[in-house]
Amino acid sequence: CPDQFGVQPAALASGAGGGLGVVVLCPENTATGVGARSGCCTNTRSDHHPHRPASAAVKVLYYHQYFSTPEGPAGTRSYALARSLVEAGHQVQMVCLQDARTHTGLSGPFSAGRRSGLVDGIEVIEFDLPYSNHAGLLERALVFLRYSWQSLLVALRSDADLIFATTTPLTAGIPGIAARWLRGIPFVFEVRDLWPQVLIDQGGKTPATPMVRLLSWMERQLYSNAHTVVVLAQGAERYVRERGARRSS
């Protein structure tokens, strides 16, 4: 049985049981989004970390652009997950950027475009990339791409046993794909919002819109290349399976 946040990182890193497929988390606590697991936990891949015992502690490289501690007004799901990992004896390195809505716990000056430090047992790396939802589309897209590029450099130099990336945006998962194929590091992708479906349902876009087509291609790459896809609602399970997160036989 997985731990309280639904993902057992040691099992993922070692490929115990053949690896996980789609994990459905139904949050019990709306403040943190951490709750009991329900739904299914099924295989999608057989490739895995070949040498690590299932019971060993792992180092998790965790990508969340908008990471925040409880001191900030933003959601603290990633903080709670990371704290659970640390309390279970694992090591967590959180990679994020600047956002007025978040509080990373770091206050020192930036050096060479980043700052880092230990926050409640979590090693936080914060990029000097200010972000605002009030910025224009092009400006926000450039921040997303710069975050992905800098995160990719971290992944390629990392000795992590597992990469965990959470949306939004979809580009946060790009380092996970690269590290999986270039470094052989298991990759877990957590889907919070169903992009680009939300643009169709709420934004007045159509599947033929160039932006939607590009994002649809990107999401399929992420779902099909992740060892595990984590969704937060039962209804999202079918959605991600139809777009590449396959159940193995």
Side-chain angles (χ1 to χ4, degrees):
C1 180
D3 53 29
Q4 73 263 34
F5 55 84
V7 180
Q8 194 171 76
L12 286 172
S14 67
L20 300 180
V22 176
V23 176
V24 183
L25 303 186
C26 292
E28 292 176 336
N29 185 317
T30 56
T32 63
V34 176
R37 165 183 169 266
S38 65
C40 70
C41 177
T42 54
N43 298 336
T44 58
R45 304 287 186 282
S46 60
D47 49 336
H48 58 269
H49 200 291
H51 304 301
R52 180 165 296 275
S55 60
V58 298
K59 179 176 180 179
V60 180
L61 184 56
Y62 196 137
Y63 289 106
H64 184 192
Q65 280 196 187
Y66 314 120
F67 168 76
S68 181
T69 71
E71 300 299 318
T76 56
R77 173 180 171 76
S78 289
Y79 172 84
L81 292 176
R83 282 293 305 147
S84 294
L85 283 163
V86 170
E87 291 172 1
H90 305 295
Q91 181 182 354
V92 180
Q93 192 173 52
M94 182 72 65
V95 183
C96 58
L97 50 65
Q98 294 186 74
D99 190 302
R101 303 166 298 174
T102 65
H103 184 277
T104 65
L106 301 178
S107 58
F110 288 94
S111 176
R114 69 168 69 180
R115 61 184 175 185
S116 61
L118 205 61
V119 179
D120 297 337
I122 306 164
E123 183 183 349
V124 178
I125 297 175
E126 182 181 353
F127 295 138
D128 187 11
L129 294 173
Y131 175 81
S132 171
N133 275 339
H134 301 294
L137 177 62
L138 179 59
E139 184 178 350
R140 284 182 288 155
L142 288 175
V143 171
F144 294 163
L145 292 175
R146 290 179 64 192
Y147 173 84
S148 293
W149 171 249
Q150 294 184 36
S151 296
L152 173 60
L153 296 179
V154 172
L156 295 180
R157 298 165 183 164
S158 175
D159 60 348
D161 302 296
L162 176 69
I163 289 183
F164 190 105
T166 186
T167 61
T168 57
L170 288 173
T171 48
I174 292 175
I177 295 178
R180 177 201 168 162
W181 292 110
L182 297 177
R183 299 286 310 282
I185 304 175
F187 168 43
V188 178
F189 186 59
E190 180 183 68
V191 182
R192 300 193 184 205
D193 299 317
L194 299 179
W195 283 81
Q197 189 62 38
V198 67
L199 295 177
I200 299 172
D201 295 339
Q202 302 177 19
K205 305 296 184 181
T206 69
T209 303
M211 180 188 300
V212 172
R213 293 179 64 182
L214 175 62
L215 292 175
S216 295
W217 176 83
M218 186 181 299
E219 85 170 328
R220 287 179 181 275
Q221 298 307 309
L222 289 163
Y223 297 160
S224 62
N225 282 283
H227 291 80
T228 301
V229 175
V230 177
V231 296
L232 306 186
Q234 290 281 3
E237 179 188 348
R238 179 178 178 181
Y239 177 93
V240 299
R241 289 197 189 284
E242 290 175 345
R243 290 161 177 80
R246 299 183 299 274
R247 181 193 298 270
S248 69
S249 55

